[in-house]
Amino acid sequence: MKHFILAGLLSLSAVAQAQDVTYQTPPKAIADLVDAPLTPRFSLSSDGKWMALLAQQSMPTVAELSQPELRLAGLRINPRLNTQSRISYATGLMLRRLEDGKDMAVLNLPNQALINEVVWSPDNSKLALSIANATGAEGRTELWVVDINTFAARRIAGVSLNSVFGTPFEWLPDNQTLVVRALVAGRGAAPSTTAAPSGPVVQENVGRKAGARTYQDLLKNQIDERLFEYYANCQMVKVNLDGKLQPISQPGLIQSAVPSPNGRYLLVKTRHRPFSYTLPVSSFPVRVEVFDLTTGDPVKMLADLPLADNVPTAFDAVPTGQRSHGWRADLPATLYWVEAQDGGDPKAEVAIHDKIFTLSAPFNGTAEELAALPLRFNGITWGNSSVALIYGSRWADRKEITWRVTPSALPSLSILFERSSQDKYNDPGEAYTHRNAQGKQVLLTDGLSKSIYFLGQGASPEGDRPFVDELDLATKKTTRWWRSDAPFYEVPLAILDADKHRLLTRRESPDQNPNYYVRDRSGKLTAITKFPNPYAAFGGSFKKQVLHYKRADGVDLTANLYLPLNYKPTDGPLPTLMEAYPVEFKDKSNAGQVSGSPYTFTRVGYGSPIFWVTQGYAVLQGASIPIVGEGTKEPNDTYTEQLVSSAKAAIDEGKRLGVVDPNRVAVMGHSYGAFMTANLLAHSSLFKAGIARSGAYNRTLTPFGFQGEERTYWQAPEVYNAMSPFNFADKIKTPILLIHGELDNNSGTFPIQSERFYNALKGNGATARYVVLPFESHGYAARENIMHMLWEMNAWLDKYVKSPATAAAAN
């Protein structure tokens, strides 16, 4: 198929039509920022001795992005490698010793290795890697192991990995064996995609409510079904580093396989028919079984759950029956799972919504109740026999509770924290875990199990100030170990030694690239990395100011203001680009809380508006647009009014500072931000232009809920209609640039949303341009497409914002 970029409203003609357009490049200052060097990512050994540094892959070309891809059951599959597609691989691996900062090259890796998963063995003596091998007639994904003592890597022969469902291997606690999801030997050729159908595709529902939100990449016919089974089918294999391979269970659509902490059993979840054409694989029927890892025999069938096609559409809704199966990380072989007590419907008026059960090996007894929760189960963190943490939440009022349970003394549920999930200022942080000897994550406790630790973002009125706290489990009082101080933004990543308060942190400032440090109790910092500023050649950093202002209804708002590097007050107000993303809240005070920090280093991603400071624009980035509905009111009941009011407040603040020219302001957004952009142009005259990327514009095409709206179209048709800019296409007189990835995979933002919206705008005489980026998903990846997108945006802004009088004369 020939691909081209669609564009409407040609400069030489008022008639909109499709054009062949060659790829263009934005101004050099913008292109140079796109091509700035990437900082390596890392994986830390659990003993804190080694850091694996992984060089990041540069942007792929559009030719690479155009390689064959299957879109099946909500998954995107690379059929050549039998992996998920669109992976951002690491292209190099180096080991750095934290003790002295010495680097060790890894030996024997393939040239230009494409590394995906990286997993340390429980004792940190080895590192397992998955490496894509696209050479030869047939590609494959290989299993490699690095010995940390010799720094040598070697490929494990005789096994090709199946990564369709994610990371395909786990270590056993002996540090010599892995359990992997492997391709089935002798599986033969892939099913034909050209075979004539044996009949029509038929779906039927007989009087049962089976609503579903809008999903992409679903199965469409029997050919899709056969392809899905072919590429998702795998065999569990126990792989010893001496080369011995032992199959476990029968081949199947094995979505996950997790060994018990003692390495004797395997918890396997296998999807099976009947499939659905309206739901992704996560809703397909699933068998949950336990296998013996020594013999490979089945031990226990826990559940065979049906297709989850009658789950209510409310956000807290869940299927009935068992769910969320896992192992207790602190015991040799004890299972847990959750069962809804409200029929899966969070709106049911019951005292208990979920119960947690446990069952210990050999799994032939009666399951024991661990806890009964008044909210929906939202996770569990195991510690030891004295402490585990259970999390529950309720979407309707954003309530969130963390309970402490003593597994050895039931019932023992007690509340540690109770708050709104949107109350950032009172967020206690995340309980810190470390890997035990079996390689499982458990709560880090002091020697007597009297204290646990929390690492938090530390939101506050002056901005985020990350912290480390110690919580006394008896008194429920916290002691603050450390908190980030100005003029730096420093994030705790790991507790290296609890007794000595020794931390691994990432530290940055507006002009210093993030780097990693070891911080001790006295405050001494030892640099582990020295990554240079990627923008040193362009001036080093961007001028950033966090603005604080109020909306007309009194809600506190913020925005990040960026100005050109050499801007002076005497330069006066500038043409301005505003970027935002609305968020729903149930409380005005939470909506007004400050996010982010004035001390972070600004890294410019492909979708950022900050590029345009190089072109003489002021930029209002991340302008807060809270949509609030308190009590019985829902946020979206007054979406448009709050949207316009928030945008006006941001422009007014920039005008008050003398840096924003209110007559030359553009607005941009991606996804829900694109939806925002279209609505602002439809319901206000605040802007000279809009740029909307990969958005949804007709909410009747997402009738069972969208974003934070859980009401259906039939429950709130007036809200859906009032929020759909498609319905107001005749009101949009401001020039709008629509950009969409040809293969968008995001729920609700089908490319047809932009296509139909553009047609509506064109039919009503709007000034509009529609650009389709070949092969791109919801996020964009190919260098040519990204450069061209930035060129389109820059040309649009220069024409309609920087020089609007000239554009008007030309039109």
PDB file of all heavy atoms in Angstrom, residues 641-655:
ATOM      1  N   GLU A 641     -17.105  24.805  30.762  1.00  0.00           N
ATOM      2  CA  GLU A 641     -16.932  26.048  31.515  1.00  0.00           C
ATOM      3  C   GLU A 641     -15.597  26.065  32.253  1.00  0.00           C
ATOM      4  O   GLU A 641     -14.878  27.077  32.250  1.00  0.00           O
ATOM      5  CB  GLU A 641     -18.078  26.225  32.508  1.00  0.00           C
ATOM      6  CG  GLU A 641     -19.461  26.372  31.862  1.00  0.00           C
ATOM      7  CD  GLU A 641     -20.160  25.056  31.592  1.00  0.00           C
ATOM      8  OE1 GLU A 641     -19.473  24.007  31.507  1.00  0.00           O
ATOM      9  OE2 GLU A 641     -21.396  25.067  31.450  1.00  0.00           O
ATOM     10  N   GLN A 642     -15.260  24.928  32.903  1.00  0.00           N
ATOM     11  CA  GLN A 642     -14.009  24.878  33.660  1.00  0.00           C
ATOM     12  C   GLN A 642     -12.796  24.871  32.725  1.00  0.00           C
ATOM     13  O   GLN A 642     -11.748  25.433  33.045  1.00  0.00           O
ATOM     14  CB  GLN A 642     -13.992  23.639  34.549  1.00  0.00           C
ATOM     15  CG  GLN A 642     -15.073  23.658  35.625  1.00  0.00           C
ATOM     16  CD  GLN A 642     -14.926  22.504  36.603  1.00  0.00           C
ATOM     17  OE1 GLN A 642     -13.946  22.438  37.355  1.00  0.00           O
ATOM     18  NE2 GLN A 642     -15.877  21.589  36.596  1.00  0.00           N
ATOM     19  N   LEU A 643     -12.953  24.234  31.572  1.00  0.00           N
ATOM     20  CA  LEU A 643     -11.873  24.185  30.592  1.00  0.00           C
ATOM     21  C   LEU A 643     -11.505  25.594  30.128  1.00  0.00           C
ATOM     22  O   LEU A 643     -10.329  25.995  30.169  1.00  0.00           O
ATOM     23  CB  LEU A 643     -12.329  23.334  29.404  1.00  0.00           C
ATOM     24  CG  LEU A 643     -11.303  23.015  28.322  1.00  0.00           C
ATOM     25  CD1 LEU A 643     -10.277  22.032  28.836  1.00  0.00           C
ATOM     26  CD2 LEU A 643     -12.009  22.449  27.093  1.00  0.00           C
ATOM     27  N   VAL A 644     -12.489  26.345  29.690  1.00  0.00           N
ATOM     28  CA  VAL A 644     -12.250  27.691  29.169  1.00  0.00           C
ATOM     29  C   VAL A 644     -11.724  28.610  30.267  1.00  0.00           C
ATOM     30  O   VAL A 644     -10.795  29.400  30.050  1.00  0.00           O
ATOM     31  CB  VAL A 644     -13.534  28.249  28.536  1.00  0.00           C
ATOM     32  CG1 VAL A 644     -13.352  29.717  28.141  1.00  0.00           C
ATOM     33  CG2 VAL A 644     -13.930  27.423  27.322  1.00  0.00           C
ATOM     34  N   SER A 645     -12.290  28.490  31.454  1.00  0.00           N
ATOM     35  CA  SER A 645     -11.861  29.338  32.565  1.00  0.00           C
ATOM     36  C   SER A 645     -10.395  29.081  32.933  1.00  0.00           C
ATOM     37  O   SER A 645      -9.639  30.013  33.220  1.00  0.00           O
ATOM     38  CB  SER A 645     -12.765  29.103  33.776  1.00  0.00           C
ATOM     39  OG  SER A 645     -12.381  29.931  34.849  1.00  0.00           O
ATOM     40  N   SER A 646      -9.993  27.825  32.920  1.00  0.00           N
ATOM     41  CA  SER A 646      -8.606  27.487  33.247  1.00  0.00           C
ATOM     42  C   SER A 646      -7.644  28.038  32.200  1.00  0.00           C
ATOM     43  O   SER A 646      -6.577  28.575  32.528  1.00  0.00           O
ATOM     44  CB  SER A 646      -8.442  25.970  33.344  1.00  0.00           C
ATOM     45  OG  SER A 646      -9.218  25.432  34.384  1.00  0.00           O
ATOM     46  N   ALA A 647      -7.997  27.885  30.930  1.00  0.00           N
ATOM     47  CA  ALA A 647      -7.130  28.384  29.862  1.00  0.00           C
ATOM     48  C   ALA A 647      -7.012  29.906  29.920  1.00  0.00           C
ATOM     49  O   ALA A 647      -5.922  30.467  29.748  1.00  0.00           O
ATOM     50  CB  ALA A 647      -7.678  27.945  28.509  1.00  0.00           C
ATOM     51  N   LYS A 648      -8.123  30.576  30.168  1.00  0.00           N
ATOM     52  CA  LYS A 648      -8.105  32.036  30.249  1.00  0.00           C
ATOM     53  C   LYS A 648      -7.222  32.491  31.411  1.00  0.00           C
ATOM     54  O   LYS A 648      -6.462  33.477  31.290  1.00  0.00           O
ATOM     55  CB  LYS A 648      -9.517  32.572  30.426  1.00  0.00           C
ATOM     56  CG  LYS A 648      -9.603  34.096  30.454  1.00  0.00           C
ATOM     57  CD  LYS A 648     -11.036  34.577  30.585  1.00  0.00           C
ATOM     58  CE  LYS A 648     -11.120  36.104  30.474  1.00  0.00           C
ATOM     59  NZ  LYS A 648     -10.294  36.812  31.479  1.00  0.00           N
ATOM     60  N   ALA A 649      -7.286  31.794  32.531  1.00  0.00           N
ATOM     61  CA  ALA A 649      -6.472  32.172  33.689  1.00  0.00           C
ATOM     62  C   ALA A 649      -4.989  32.070  33.380  1.00  0.00           C
ATOM     63  O   ALA A 649      -4.193  32.916  33.806  1.00  0.00           O
ATOM     64  CB  ALA A 649      -6.840  31.285  34.882  1.00  0.00           C
ATOM     65  N   ALA A 650      -4.587  31.044  32.630  1.00  0.00           N
ATOM     66  CA  ALA A 650      -3.177  30.890  32.267  1.00  0.00           C
ATOM     67  C   ALA A 650      -2.720  32.031  31.364  1.00  0.00           C
ATOM     68  O   ALA A 650      -1.634  32.606  31.556  1.00  0.00           O
ATOM     69  CB  ALA A 650      -2.964  29.544  31.578  1.00  0.00           C
ATOM     70  N   ILE A 651      -3.541  32.368  30.367  1.00  0.00           N
ATOM     71  CA  ILE A 651      -3.183  33.469  29.464  1.00  0.00           C
ATOM     72  C   ILE A 651      -3.125  34.791  30.217  1.00  0.00           C
ATOM     73  O   ILE A 651      -2.202  35.595  30.026  1.00  0.00           O
ATOM     74  CB  ILE A 651      -4.191  33.541  28.306  1.00  0.00           C
ATOM     75  CG1 ILE A 651      -4.091  32.276  27.445  1.00  0.00           C
ATOM     76  CG2 ILE A 651      -3.950  34.788  27.457  1.00  0.00           C
ATOM     77  CD1 ILE A 651      -5.184  32.150  26.408  1.00  0.00           C
ATOM     78  N   ASP A 652      -4.094  35.013  31.091  1.00  0.00           N
ATOM     79  CA  ASP A 652      -4.122  36.260  31.867  1.00  0.00           C
ATOM     80  C   ASP A 652      -2.883  36.388  32.746  1.00  0.00           C
ATOM     81  O   ASP A 652      -2.335  37.493  32.888  1.00  0.00           O
ATOM     82  CB  ASP A 652      -5.377  36.316  32.729  1.00  0.00           C
ATOM     83  CG  ASP A 652      -6.651  36.555  31.918  1.00  0.00           C
ATOM     84  OD1 ASP A 652      -6.531  36.928  30.732  1.00  0.00           O
ATOM     85  OD2 ASP A 652      -7.750  36.370  32.473  1.00  0.00           O
ATOM     86  N   GLU A 653      -2.431  35.277  33.335  1.00  0.00           N
ATOM     87  CA  GLU A 653      -1.233  35.352  34.178  1.00  0.00           C
ATOM     88  C   GLU A 653      -0.003  35.681  33.335  1.00  0.00           C
ATOM     89  O   GLU A 653       0.851  36.481  33.742  1.00  0.00           O
ATOM     90  CB  GLU A 653      -1.033  34.031  34.924  1.00  0.00           C
ATOM     91  CG  GLU A 653       0.209  33.969  35.803  1.00  0.00           C
ATOM     92  CD  GLU A 653       0.197  34.943  36.967  1.00  0.00           C
ATOM     93  OE1 GLU A 653      -0.855  35.581  37.231  1.00  0.00           O
ATOM     94  OE2 GLU A 653       1.245  35.065  37.649  1.00  0.00           O
ATOM     95  N   GLY A 654       0.109  35.064  32.172  1.00  0.00           N
ATOM     96  CA  GLY A 654       1.222  35.393  31.292  1.00  0.00           C
ATOM     97  C   GLY A 654       1.189  36.836  30.831  1.00  0.00           C
ATOM     98  O   GLY A 654       2.236  37.493  30.712  1.00  0.00           O
ATOM     99  N   LYS A 655      -0.014  37.335  30.577  1.00  0.00           N
ATOM    100  CA  LYS A 655      -0.160  38.744  30.205  1.00  0.00           C
ATOM    101  C   LYS A 655       0.251  39.648  31.371  1.00  0.00           C
ATOM    102  O   LYS A 655       0.938  40.666  31.176  1.00  0.00           O
ATOM    103  CB  LYS A 655      -1.605  39.016  29.796  1.00  0.00           C
ATOM    104  CG  LYS A 655      -1.895  40.473  29.448  1.00  0.00           C
ATOM    105  CD  LYS A 655      -3.386  40.675  29.153  1.00  0.00           C
ATOM    106  CE  LYS A 655      -3.674  42.157  28.894  1.00  0.00           C
ATOM    107  NZ  LYS A 655      -5.129  42.381  28.645  1.00  0.00           N
TER     108      LYS A 655
END
